[in-house]
Amino acid sequence: MTTTESPTADDTHARTYADLPALMSLMTGDEKHGPASTSTLDVLWVLYDRVLRVGPELVDDPARDRFLLSKGHGPTAYYAVLAAKGFLPLGLLPGFGTFDSPLGHHPDRTLLPGVEIGSGSLGHGLPLGVGTALGLRARGLTGPRVWVLTGDAELDEGSNHEAIDFAGATGLDTLHTVVVDNASSRYAPPGGVAARFATAGWSTATVDGRDHDALYGAFTAAHPGRPHVVVARVESQDS
């Protein structure tokens, strides 16, 4: 299939990054938040294709990695990646945002397999990520990693900074954050996003948010004893 073909619900061949625009095109409506969604597409693909230990067969496995989409508005890229990886049938995509569709304008963990949190209210994902990492630690599950995807504008919310400081002070090294930085924050931290995390004791990396190899290298960098943040810079101007 090329990116101009329309995928069908019974089309089950293995999908690649090139298929994602066609999958996203199946979802229409005024609430797509297109730029906000497409700014996350490369990050999401690299995570699900090369990094996260997750899959449709592992949605209830205690040893799975946890991915938390804090940047919940404009989730069409997220839904497209989940569909490409077999978490949900392609036939659901055209119903995005309709009354009886599980594909809401914000993801709902009770409606979709593989979705770890319901998101939408900005500033919730990173605190939830801290709590998830602490909960796994308390259960003796040291293998699963927790990943949170947020946007630079979302860091305007104060709850994120409490989470950043706590995770750094406690050496929560199973916690990973990806900040999609499209320069949409009203209150950018002095020195940039990475500097804010670094002052709290995090390991940091800043890369081109469209470069898959650079993203993979940053995602898999060692950071013993410290949480890790990857700032993925993109040019979109939608938060």
Side-chain angles (χ1 to χ4, degrees):
M1 188 183 76
T2 68
T3 57
T4 58
E5 294 175 352
S6 296
T8 59
D10 58 356
D11 184 356
T12 57
H13 78 272
R15 301 187 182 280
T16 69
Y17 175 79
D19 295 312
L20 297 180
L23 297 181
M24 291 181 67
S25 73
L26 296 177
M27 293 173 275
T28 60
D30 294 336
E31 297 297 324
K32 284 183 67 172
H33 290 285
S37 185
T38 55
S39 69
T40 68
L41 188 62
D42 298 271
V43 165
L44 286 165
W45 179 256
V46 174
L47 283 172
Y48 273 88
D49 191 54
R50 301 171 65 180
V51 178
L52 294 173
R53 294 172 296 191
V54 296
E57 73 286 359
L58 300 175
V59 293
D60 295 318
D61 187 340
R64 73 189 183 280
D65 287 342
R66 271 66 165 179
F67 174 78
L68 283 57
L69 181 68
S70 187
K71 187 178 166 71
H73 60 295
T76 53
Y78 185 42
Y79 293 154
V81 171
L82 289 177
K85 291 300 180 181
F87 287 89
L88 54 95
L90 271 63
L92 290 178
L93 298 180
F96 165 73
T98 57
F99 175 74
D100 58 350
S101 173
L103 306 185
H105 294 150
H106 300 280
D108 188 328
R109 70 178 183 85
T110 68
L111 299 178
L112 290 173
V115 174
E116 298 285 355
I117 62 170
S119 56
S121 296
L122 297 179
H124 287 181
L126 190 50
L128 286 170
V130 168
T132 301
L134 289 173
L136 291 168
R137 177 189 286 182
R139 294 166 60 191
L141 295 170
T142 59
R145 297 163 297 180
V146 180
W147 288 82
V148 179
L149 193 159
T150 185
D152 64 311
E154 193 174 350
L155 296 182
D156 291 347
E157 302 290 338
S159 54
N160 287 304
H161 295 278
E162 295 181 13
I164 291 168
D165 289 338
F166 180 88
T170 55
L172 205 56
D173 58 2
T174 58
L175 179 64
H176 307 73
T177 299
V178 185
V179 180
V180 175
D181 182 2
N182 48 29
S184 58
S185 174
R186 292 183 180 179
Y187 308 107
V193 173
R196 169 64 185 96
F197 284 81
T199 60
W202 288 57
S203 166
T204 72
T206 300
V207 297
D208 180 347
R210 303 298 188 190
D211 186 326
H212 291 196
D213 288 337
L215 286 168
Y216 177 74
F219 292 162
T220 56
H223 52 93
R226 295 194 290 169
H228 184 55
V229 63
V230 176
V231 180
R233 290 181 171 169
V234 297
E235 294 183 358
S236 169
Q237 292 301 309
D238 190 319
S239 63

